[in-house]
Structures are given as structure tokens and as C-alpha cells.
């Protein structure tokens, strides 16, 4: 029935590969994919691919002891091996596209990252203002959500202890030189200290070693910037020999334009929609929320098609007071009081955005808060953040392995299976049928 | 000549071998550019540029640390592409030990030619020039359509041998047929005898039977090779040489990758010393292995960078090692 297809799986998500193969009713290709002791990837494809239509499944996720860059190089090597092995066509299937998010770095006006003194002691590791506020009778039902921590308190301490900032740049940078690579949690305490320091201006990326970022100083007069690897990754895939790319819910749909080869961007939307309809009682009364302005389009699309109300959370970065320099405060646009809220986003990495949004929604009187995400990467402190947050339920797809997350989060996490979507996409692409029907099944 | 002012050497260092970058920078009398590369918690690599590279002659130094090859390679690619987006005039990737150099041919069905892939990736990212040391196979240069300067550690090795031994006491030994050319070249320069060990290799990183061709009796046998990975070959070869009556056995190797149990293997071997260059970061291996000696290759690389920048010939470095 499906002939001449070869499904080749990387090491990043073996379970997805297995279930895609099951859906298609064919075995995955035999291969050896390990590392030499020197650290170079070793790849041998043991089944013939000559004249075949090869689909290589590798998601952009590192964790559980494996590394993202290793997976990406493995993917390129596999693509190139199939090409040299005379495959007719090689399609890279990346459920989560690596490096698709534009990195953000908190800047102050002068150009360097904003550094704040560490918050008070006695906080737990995950810190953060994403923890729901303790309800108190007569508590203010705020119209906004000003800066989380008590700013005056902080400012007092800033002026008193100038030494509480990071150490001198040179010393810090050098000392950490050896811990650069793979130093996962090597200097845990220092890291937590640093993370706490960034409370006021949160970033949606956590660094493994923030002290280096804080200690870094650009040459005077030059505004530092962060390299954006999206185009590079696209070019590397094409240069390795990919003829076609299938991915899901690209953070920026413009990434498709980085490629010279066809890109099929599948949507997790139908799955999420189905979940809302089947699992949220009285969903017509619920409100769809976009946790930031960037995701508004995605969220309104679902809200419109289901005839639901929509609200938006806006991260305001304007200074609200003269002393209160640049603090991301959040504002809710729309009404959620006494209603069920459904947060919709494409990706949750550190979980900062959704947990903070949840806290605000709770404060505004939401009764129950769901978060529906396509990609649940949950790196850094995300799991502890979500555990402590006001979120009642987090729904993700298995675009990245969720086994470990599920074990840690228990019933708070719900995982939807995307294997049938990818299997169907692969089948249709192979037979040259249109896949646009996958974009909207209601 | 104000237009020429901007075009200066800009040295950017990756995370893999900061020590080598510092040595090169010191020798060139320039500062390493202010950049940071690190990983986000989701393991994506981020590279921050803290000074202008517009219209500069950029040299990016990135070796590949043992066990972290892919991480280092990806970081290098991101650095190159960042400099290209930032309008650098020319980007030279200085890769002292070229990654995947051993996967340079399709030796069985559907085996990847990863060295060619790396070459293509580097060019895709935007490298205009490559500087490397002792490529495993010099044909790898043909994978590139940009200039590749393949420097040699040979002059440094020749100096080391001349300083430490009488050349008439030595025999240069190649541990395999593939390295015969490298070894004969050294033997010719020193005017010494030459021997070769023939080995059968059933699988990668596994060594089979070994046969010595040539005479090493009562001589100092010097094994010469381009890389020492698990050191299985070297140690077995040393044992064979000792059995055949060699007075002492030492090894001169350009790239000390020393992965797996290499250090333990070396410590328990009959090898008197393993001399490597610092193309690969050695970390604490020097402390863990008393037999390990290190030759500093940074003068050669620094001189190559200076000559490349000034548009001078690099071929002088093929026969001379700057001090």
C-alpha cells in the first residue's frame, strides 16, 4: 500500500517515530546512530534507500541526557547519508523546529542586560512571581498587574548595597570558563541566585549560566546583539540535502521563507480545538486568552472559529514610574471574571509567560485556567514553575518527548498525540495528495 | 588611507579552546573580541556579539573538544553566520583539528561522508577561508570551494626530535600504512631509518594483528601519526616495537583527542612518552598522564593568521616552525 517509503528515526523522540510507523503500517528503517568515543556522531543506515522516498523524523529537543546540537547534527548527517545513498527524495520531519524562536535578551537603554539585586532570601528555587497570590478578604481586584515585587523595598536595598550586584566582569567570566560546556547545574546555587536576580524583567529564555551574561560588557559605544540562527539552520538543512521539510506550528511562520525547498507547516490547532470541545465543560462560556501580543493571531483564529470570547495579555514595558525603570508589567485586555480561561500559545519553554499570565488571570477572577500549548519544551525551572502556578491543567502535544514531564507533573499535564497528523502528512506528501485538509478538520 | 583603517584582525574565540585563543591573541598582540556564547536552558546555543566586526578581517578560533564535537561545530557555524550578517569583510574559520575528518569516504554502503558535510556547512554558514592543522586526509581540502590552508605540525616535531635525540639513534615508525607518507617525510628530513607497522582493523576503534616491517633493534623508535584517539593502535604498536628490540618507544602525534580510556591505556603502556600539540583542549589530561608532553602550536597558527591577513605567503610555515 505504502511502498517505497523509508521512515528513518533520530534519537530525539523514538516513541513518536514508533507511533508514526505504526500509523503507516511499516517498520522504521534499521540504522546505527551513536557517538564515537571522540564525540563525533556515527551513523550507518542498514536498509537500502536507493530510489526511495525517505522521511527522517528528528525533533528539536534535547534533554534526558541528550543534546539538542547532537540531534541536529545527527539529522544533517542522516540526510546527507541518504543523499549519498541515492535516495530519491529526503524529507526532514521536525515536529519542533530547532532555533525557530528569536532569542530575546533583556536590555536596558544603554544596551546591556538589566541587572537587579537578588531578591530576599527564603524563597524557593523556582522563585518567581508566577506563584499565585494568597487570597485575602477585601483584597484589591486590580485593574492591572503592576510590578510583582515590592519595588521600593528593592530600590532601598540597591542603594544600600552596591556590592550586591554581580562581581567584576573579568573575574567572573574567566572563572566560569571551564564550566561552559555541559555544566548542567554544576554551579546550581550561583545559577539560582542569578535567576532570582532577573525576576523583574523576565525573559522567555533561561540561560544555563546567567552570571556570564550579567558579567558581559560590550565595547563602549556598541550595542550588543544576539545572533539569530533560524536562517542558518534552514540553510544547513538544505545544504545537507533535504528536499522537503515538514514541521509543526512554527513560532514565526516567516521561517518558511528561509528555505528554498518546500516547507509544510502543520497545525496543532485542530487537536487543541478538539480537546476544548471534548474536555472543557461549557466551553462556549470560556474565554480564549493569548498570553502575549505575538500570539494574538493564533488565539483569535481558534476563538473565532469556535465562537468564543477572546482576551489578551499585554506585557507593558513602558516605565510606569520614574524610579521604576523598565519592568515588564502585565495588563489584561478583556474580561475574565468568574469564567474559565484557556491560555493558548505555540510553545512553552521556561514556562514564564504562561505561569505569569495564569497568576494575573487568577487575580482577575478566573475560575479555572487551562493552558493549551503545541510544544511543551519545559526547560530550566519550567516544571517547578508550573507546579507552583495557578494553572489547573496544561495540555501539550508530544512534539517533544513528554514522558519525563508527565512523570513530574502528573495529572496536571495532558498529552495529545500528534503521530496520526504526521503519519497522514507523510502519506499524503508521498502520494502527492494535498495536505491542506489537515489544516482544518473541525 | 582611511579606508584601510577598519580592516584589522578581529579574533573571535569559541568556547572549546580559550587557552589556545589567548595564546594566539597574545602572540598577535591583539585582544580577543568581546563576545559570549552560551546555551539556553533549552540547549540552543546563543552567541552575543559585543563589538563591531563591520569590514574587519575576522578569524574565528574553534577547536573541537573531545566529547563535545557537535556542540562546538554548531557554535562555530552560528559564530560564522553571525559575523557574516554583521558585514565582516572576510571570515576565516581557524579549526585546528577538523571535526569528522576521519569520515571522509563512503567506505561502505550508505555511510555518510560527514567531512564533506562539515565542509559544505562551513561554507553555507559563510566562511571565506579555512585554516587547519594536519588534516587527516589532505583530500578534504577538495571538499571546499574556498581556500583551505592546511598547516603542518611537522616542523615543530622535527625541532622536538632534534632537541631531544641524536637522529642516528632514531627510527621513525608509522603505525599504519596510511601514515607512511607523513613518517617518511620526517625520516627524510632527519636522515634516519624508517619502519612501518601493518595492521588489520576489523572495525573502527578496534585494532587487530600487527606486523613490523623494518628494523628497530637498539634504536629509539618514534611513532608518528596525525591523531591519537583511544590510543589502542599506538599502544599496541609500541608493544610490537618493544618486542622487536627497540631501546625506547615514544609517539609524536598532532591531535591528542584521547577519548575513552586513552589515559589509562597510555599509563599502562610501554610508551615512554606521547608528544602532542595543543590543537585539542587537553583539560586535566596532562596532570592525569605523566607520559603526556605538549608542544605549543599557537605560534604557527598565529603566524598563519598574520600572513593571511597581510596577504603574504604561508608556505614558509610548511617547513619552519616559528619560535
Amino acid at each position: 500500500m505504502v511502498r517505497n517509503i523509508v521512515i528513518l528515526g533520530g534519537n530525539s523522540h523514538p516513541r513518536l517515530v514508533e507511533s508514526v510507523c505504526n500509523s503507516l503500517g511499516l517498520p522504521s528503517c534499521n540504522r546505527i546512530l551513536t557517538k564515537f568515543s571522540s564525540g563525533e556522531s556515527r551513523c550507518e543506515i542498514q536498509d537500502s534507500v536507493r530510489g526511495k522516498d525517505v522521511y527522517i523524523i528528528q525533533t528539536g529537543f534535547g534533554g534526558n541526557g541528550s543534546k539538542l546540537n547532537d540531534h541536529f547534527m545527527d539529522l544533517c548527517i542522516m540526510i546527507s547519508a541518504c543523499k549519498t545513498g541515492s535516495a530519491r527524495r529526503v524529507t526532514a520531519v521536525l515536529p519542533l523546529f530547532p532555533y525557530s524562536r528569536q532569542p530575546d535578551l533583556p536590555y536596558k537603554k544603554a544596551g546591556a542586560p538589566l541587572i537587579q539585586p537578588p531578591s530576599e532570601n527564603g524563597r524557593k528555587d523556582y522563585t518567581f512571581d508566577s506563584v499565585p497570590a494568597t487570597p485575602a478578604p477585601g483584597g484589591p481586584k486590580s485593574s492591572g498587574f503592576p510590578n510583582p515585587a515590592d519595588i521600593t523595598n528593592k530600590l532601598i536595598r540597591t542603594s544600600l548595597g552596591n556590592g550586591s550586584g554581580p562581581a567584576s566582569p573579568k573575574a567572573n567570566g574567566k572563572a566560569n570558563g571551564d564550566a561552559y560546556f555541559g555544566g548542567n547545574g554544576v554551579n546550581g546555587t550561583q545559577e539560582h541566585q542569578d535567576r532570582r536576580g532577573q525576576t523583574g524583567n523576565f525573559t522567555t529564555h533561561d540561560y544555563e549560566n546567567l552570571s556570564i551574561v550579567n558579567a558581559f560588557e560590550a565595547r563602549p559605544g556598541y550595542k550588543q546583539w544576539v545572533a539569530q540562527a533560524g536562517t542558518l539552520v534552514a540553510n544547513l538543512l538544505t545544504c545537507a540535502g533535504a528536499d522537503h521539510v515538514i514541521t509543526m506550528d512554527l513560532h514565526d511562520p516567516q521561517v518558511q521563507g528561509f528555505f528554498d525547498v518546500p516547507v509544510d507547516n502543520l497545525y496543532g490547532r485542530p487537536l487543541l480545538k478538539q480537546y476544548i470541545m471534548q474536555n472543557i465543560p461549557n466551553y462556549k462560556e470560556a474565554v480564549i486568552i493569548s498570553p502575549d501580543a505575538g500570539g494574538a493571531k493564533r488565539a483569535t483564529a481558534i476563538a473565532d472559529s469556535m465562537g468564543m470570547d477572546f482576551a489578551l495579555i499585554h506585557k507593558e514595558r513602558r516605565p510606569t514610574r520614574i524610579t521604576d525603570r523598565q519592568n515588564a508589567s502585565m495588563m489584561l485586555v478583556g474580561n475574565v471574571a468568574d469564567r474559565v480561561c484557556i491560555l493558548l500559545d505555540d510553545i512553552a519553554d521556561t514556562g514564564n509567560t504562561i505561569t505569569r499570565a495564569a497568576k494575573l488571570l487568577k487575580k482577575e477572577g478566573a475560575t479555572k485556567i487551562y493552558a493549551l500549548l503545541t510544544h511543551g519544551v519545559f526547560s530550566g525551572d519550567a516544571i517547578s514553575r508550573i507546579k507552583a502556578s495557578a494553572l489547573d491543567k496544561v495540555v501539550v502535544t508530544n512534539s517533544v518527548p513528554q514522558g519525563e514531564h508527565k512523570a513530574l507533573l502528573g495529572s496536571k499535564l495532558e498529552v495529545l498525540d500528534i503521530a496520526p497528523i504526521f503519519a497522514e502528512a507523510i502519506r499524503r506528501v508521498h502520494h502527492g495528495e494535498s495536505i491542506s485538509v489537515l489544516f482544518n478538520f473541525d | 588611507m582611511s579606508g584601510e583603517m577598519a580592516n584589522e584582525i578581529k579574533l573571535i574565540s569559541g568556547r572549546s579552546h580559550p587557552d589556545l585563543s589567548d595564546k594566539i591573541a597574545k602572540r598577535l598582540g591583539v585582544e580577543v573580541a568581546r563576545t559570549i556564547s552560551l546555551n539556553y536552558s533549552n540547549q540552543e546555543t546563543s552567541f552575543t556579539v559585543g563589538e563591531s566586526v563591520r569590514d574587519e578581517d575576522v578569524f574565528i578560533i574553534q577547536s573541537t573538544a573531545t566529547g563535545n564535537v557537535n556542540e562546538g561545530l554548531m557554535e562555530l557555524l552560528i559564530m560564522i553566520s553571525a559575523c557574516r550578517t554583521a558585514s565582516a569583510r572576510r571570515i576565516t574559520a581557524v579549526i585546528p583539528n577538523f571535526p569528522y575528518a576521519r569520515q571522509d569516504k563512503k567506505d561502505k554502503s550508505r555511510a555518510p561522508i560527514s567531512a564533506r558535510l562539515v565542509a559544505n556547512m562551513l561554507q553555507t554558514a559563510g566562511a571565506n577561508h579555512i585554516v587547519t592543522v594536519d588534516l587527516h586526509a589532505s583530500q578534504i581540502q577538495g571538499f571546499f570551494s574556498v581556500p583551505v590552508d592546511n598547516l603542518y605540525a611537522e616542523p615543530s616535531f622535527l625541532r622536538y626530535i632534534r632537541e631531544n635525540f641524536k637522529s642516528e639513534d632514531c627510527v621513525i615508525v608509522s603505525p599504519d600504512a596510511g601514515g607512511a607518507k607523513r613518517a617518511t617525510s620526517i625520516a627524510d628530513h632527519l636522515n634516519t631509518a624508517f619502519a612501518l607497522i601493518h595492521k588489520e582493523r576489523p572495525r573502527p576503534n578496534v585494532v587487530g594483528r600487527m606486523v613490523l616491517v623494518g628494523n628497530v633493534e637498539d634504536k629509539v623508535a618514534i611513532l608518528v601519526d596525525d591523531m591519537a584517539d583511544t590510543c589502542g593502535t599506538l599502544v599496541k604498536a609500541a608493544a610490537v616495537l618493544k618486542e622487536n628490540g627497540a631501546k625506547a618507544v615514544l609517539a609524536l602525534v598532532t591531535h591528542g583527542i584521547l577519548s575513552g580510556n586513552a589515559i589509562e591505556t597510555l599509563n599502562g603502556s610501554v610508551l615512554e612518552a606521547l608528544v602532542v600539540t595543543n590543537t585539542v583542549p587537553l583539560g586535566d589530561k596532562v596532570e592525569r598522564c605523566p607520559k603526556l608532553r605538549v608542544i605549543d602550536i599557537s605560534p604557527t597558527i598565529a603566524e598563519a593568521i598574520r600572513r593571511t591577513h597581510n596577504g603574504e605567503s604561508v608556505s614558509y610555515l610548511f617547513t619552519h616552525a616559528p619560535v
Side-chain angles (χ1 to χ4, degrees):
Chain A
M1 184 183 77
V2 270
R3 279 172 307 170
N4 276 329
I5 289 195
V6 173
I7 306 286
L8 185 56
N11 288 331
S12 60
H13 200 348
R15 286 181 65 182
L16 181 69
V17 177
E18 204 180 302
S19 44
V20 167
C21 285
N22 281 341
S23 302
L24 288 169
L26 44 96
S28 72
C29 177
N30 286 316
R31 90 286 195 271
I32 297 175
L33 187 60
T34 52
K35 262 181 161 191
F36 288 115
S37 58
S38 64
E40 293 177 359
S41 300
R42 173 184 178 201
C43 167
E44 277 173 38
I45 295 162
Q46 288 157 309
D47 296 341
S48 170
V49 295
R50 186 174 297 272
K52 300 275 177 66
D53 196 7
V54 182
Y55 294 83
I56 306 177
I57 302 175
Q58 181 84 298
T59 194
F61 176 77
N64 315 341
S66 61
K67 286 189 175 154
L68 175 99
N69 287 336
D70 280 337
H71 291 323
F72 181 70
M73 278 305 296
D74 285 352
L75 174 63
C76 292
I77 290 173
M78 283 190 285
I79 294 173
S80 141
C82 290
K83 270 295 191 195
T84 34
S86 309
R88 185 166 60 81
R89 183 173 65 168
V90 180
T91 306
V93 182
L94 299 131
L96 170 57
F97 195 86
Y99 291 97
S100 57
R101 234 149 39 100
Q102 308 293 328
D104 60 347
L105 194 65
Y107 287 110
K108 61 183 179 194
K109 284 212 179 79
L114 178 69
I115 297 160
Q116 293 203 333
S119 321
E120 63 274 17
N121 295 326
R123 278 203 178 183
K124 293 190 198 76
D125 278 347
Y126 47 79
T127 69
F128 311 140
D129 29 334
S130 48
V131 182
T134 319
K141 269 207 164 185
S142 76
S143 55
F145 189 26
N147 193 46
D150 182 0
I151 196 80
T152 38
N153 203 350
K154 268 190 179 175
L155 286 170
I156 288 167
R157 285 193 301 111
T158 320
S159 52
L160 281 180
N162 272 334
S164 62
S168 78
K170 283 274 147 45
N172 224 344
K174 283 282 176 252
N176 284 316
D178 285 339
Y180 270 144
F181 272 130
N184 255 335
V186 173
N187 39 7
T189 41
Q190 173 67 29
E191 224 170 291
H192 287 307
Q193 191 85 9
D194 291 334
R195 293 230 178 110
R196 226 171 292 158
Q198 72 175 81
T199 315
N201 50 320
F202 78 88
T203 152
T204 46
H205 277 103
D206 274 358
Y207 291 95
E208 282 187 345
N209 205 338
L210 195 78
S211 58
I212 299 171
V213 182
N214 285 343
F216 180 70
E217 272 179 16
R219 201 162 281 282
Y222 189 74
K223 187 175 153 99
Q224 72 184 68
W225 51 280
V226 180
Q228 316 214 320
T231 323
L232 174 70
V233 167
N235 289 341
L236 291 179
L237 285 174
T238 357
C239 128
D243 300 302
H244 192 141
V245 174
I246 300 177
T247 180
M248 182 175 255
D249 275 350
L250 278 172
H251 185 67
D252 296 311
Q254 286 82 354
V255 170
Q256 289 181 70
F258 297 168
F259 283 93
D260 292 330
V261 298
V263 179
D264 285 319
N265 184 21
L266 304 175
Y267 294 113
R269 202 181 288 162
L271 268 183
L272 301 179
K273 237 157 118 176
Q274 212 177 15
Y275 180 87
I276 294 175
M277 289 195 279
Q278 290 172 356
N279 295 285
I280 299 180
N282 267 335
Y283 71 89
K284 290 275 185 202
E285 304 301 311
V287 191
I288 301 263
I289 318 268
S290 170
D292 58 11
K297 216 167 164 182
R298 225 178 332 252
T300 45
I302 292 197
D304 285 351
S305 72
M306 302 182 73
M308 294 166 69
D309 280 346
F310 169 77
L312 175 114
I313 290 171
H314 170 55
K315 277 184 254 181
E316 195 177 18
R317 293 191 188 268
R318 268 179 307 198
T320 44
R321 270 181 266 168
I322 295 166
T323 48
D324 180 2
R325 272 174 294 179
Q326 187 188 16
N327 290 298
S329 58
M330 295 177 110
M331 274 171 51
L332 178 72
V333 184
N335 185 16
V336 298
D338 301 320
R339 295 176 78 171
V340 174
C341 290
I342 303 169
L343 278 163
L344 264 181
D345 209 349
D346 61 330
I347 185 165
D349 185 351
T350 61
N352 245 328
T353 309
I354 52 162
T355 49
R356 282 177 58 109
K359 187 187 177 190
L360 174 60
L361 293 174
K362 213 52 171 193
K363 205 166 180 179
E364 297 286 350
T367 54
K368 199 165 183 198
I369 303 167
Y370 292 84
L372 269 62
L373 314 153
T374 310
H375 309 295
V377 178
F378 302 142
S379 74
D381 291 336
I383 297 286
S384 25
R385 258 174 218 159
I386 289 171
K387 262 191 177 160
S389 74
L391 289 166
D392 294 296
K393 195 102 187 164
V394 180
V395 182
V396 296
T397 73
N398 60 349
S399 64
V400 301
Q402 294 291 353
E404 199 158 293
H405 301 155
K406 182 75 185 162
L408 289 167
L409 282 171
S411 59
K412 212 170 192 179
L413 186 75
E414 193 101 17
V415 183
L416 309 175
D417 189 16
I418 52 164
I421 299 186
F422 275 96
E424 184 61 16
I426 288 173
R427 199 190 63 76
R428 284 173 180 265
V429 168
H430 174 67
H431 290 292
E433 295 168 24
S434 162
I435 63 160
S436 55
V437 66
L438 289 177
F439 297 155
N440 43 2
F441 60 82
D442 287 317
Chain B
M1 297 292 276
S2 61
E4 299 291 306
M5 290 293 284
N7 185 15
E8 281 173 11
I9 293 181
K10 194 66 93 173
L11 218 54
I12 293 180
S13 169
R15 277 180 289 179
S16 62
H17 205 345
D19 178 50
L20 181 69
S21 312
D22 286 345
K23 282 188 174 134
I24 292 172
K26 208 168 164 196
R27 196 158 170 106
L28 288 170
V30 299
E31 259 182 70
V32 176
R34 295 194 195 186
T35 60
I36 28 170
S37 32
L38 27 80
N39 282 8
Y40 293 121
S41 57
N42 66 5
Q43 300 189 0
E44 289 178 3
T45 304
S46 106
F47 178 62
T48 309
V49 184
E51 67 182 71
S52 171
V53 296
R54 185 175 294 273
D55 217 12
E56 306 279 21
D57 198 6
V58 176
F59 291 84
I60 303 175
I61 300 166
Q62 176 80 314
S63 182
T64 41
T66 306
N68 261 318
V69 173
N70 293 335
E71 202 78 15
L73 181 57
M74 201 59 203
E75 186 184 316
L76 173 63
L77 294 168
I78 291 173
M79 289 192 288
I80 294 173
S81 106
C83 290
R84 192 174 65 162
T85 10
S87 313
R89 178 177 289 190
R90 180 174 62 173
I91 301 161
T92 306
V94 182
I95 315 166
N97 69 325
F98 194 82
Y100 289 100
R102 278 171 290 180
Q103 297 184 29
D104 56 354
K105 57 196 165 295
K106 195 171 155 182
D107 46 7
K108 57 184 81 150
S109 302
R110 298 173 295 281
I113 309 175
S114 306
R116 188 195 55 187
L117 176 66
V118 172
N120 289 341
M121 284 176 143
L122 288 167
Q123 292 174 90
T124 305
N128 305 114
H129 194 140
I130 310 290
V131 173
T132 180
V133 181
D134 273 346
L135 273 177
H136 183 64
S138 47
Q139 288 85 344
I140 290 174
Q141 293 176 70
F143 294 159
F144 286 92
S145 52
V146 297
V148 179
D149 284 325
N150 184 19
L151 305 171
Y152 299 107
E154 188 187 285
S156 310
F157 284 160
L158 286 173
R159 181 188 300 134
Y160 181 87
I161 297 172
R162 286 195 181 111
E163 280 173 1
N164 291 284
F165 303 97
K166 280 204 206 98
S167 55
E168 57 270 24
D169 290 348
C170 301
V171 186
I172 306 295
V173 186
S174 171
D176 58 13
K181 219 169 159 187
R182 211 185 313 268
T184 45
S185 164
I186 291 189
D188 287 349
H189 276 103
L190 292 168
N191 214 359
T192 61
F194 164 77
L196 181 136
I197 289 174
H198 172 68
K199 71 176 168 189
E200 291 142 9
R201 189 195 278 268
R203 267 173 295 145
N205 290 351
V206 177
V207 189
R209 213 165 50 91
M210 289 185 150
V211 190
L212 175 70
V213 184
N215 187 13
V216 295
E217 229 165 287
D218 291 327
K219 299 264 188 159
V220 178
I222 302 177
L223 284 157
V224 174
D225 207 351
D226 64 331
M227 54 176 81
D229 190 346
T230 54
C231 292
T233 316
L234 277 181
V235 166
K236 279 210 172 171
V240 170
L241 292 170
K242 209 70 182 177
E243 276 164 30
N244 282 282
K247 206 160 51 173
V249 185
L250 67 150
L252 262 61
V253 174
T254 311
H255 307 297
I257 297 168
L258 306 179
S259 71
N261 294 323
I263 298 297
E264 289 72 28
T265 315
L266 278 177
N267 282 338
S269 74
V270 296
L271 263 182
E272 203 156 278
L274 172 65
V275 185
V276 298
T277 69
N278 57 348
T279 51
V280 184
L282 291 165
D284 62 345
K285 284 171 189 156
V286 183
E287 284 93 72
R288 278 165 55 212
C289 181
K291 293 179 177 178
L292 199 61
R293 314 275 150 76
V294 183
I295 298 178
D296 186 13
I297 195 82
S298 66
T300 305
I301 297 176
E303 184 62 15
I305 290 176
R306 196 191 63 76
R307 285 173 179 256
T308 307
H309 174 67
N310 292 334
E312 295 167 24
S313 164
V314 176
S315 53
Y316 173 83
L317 295 171
F318 297 162
T319 47
H320 297 80
V323 196

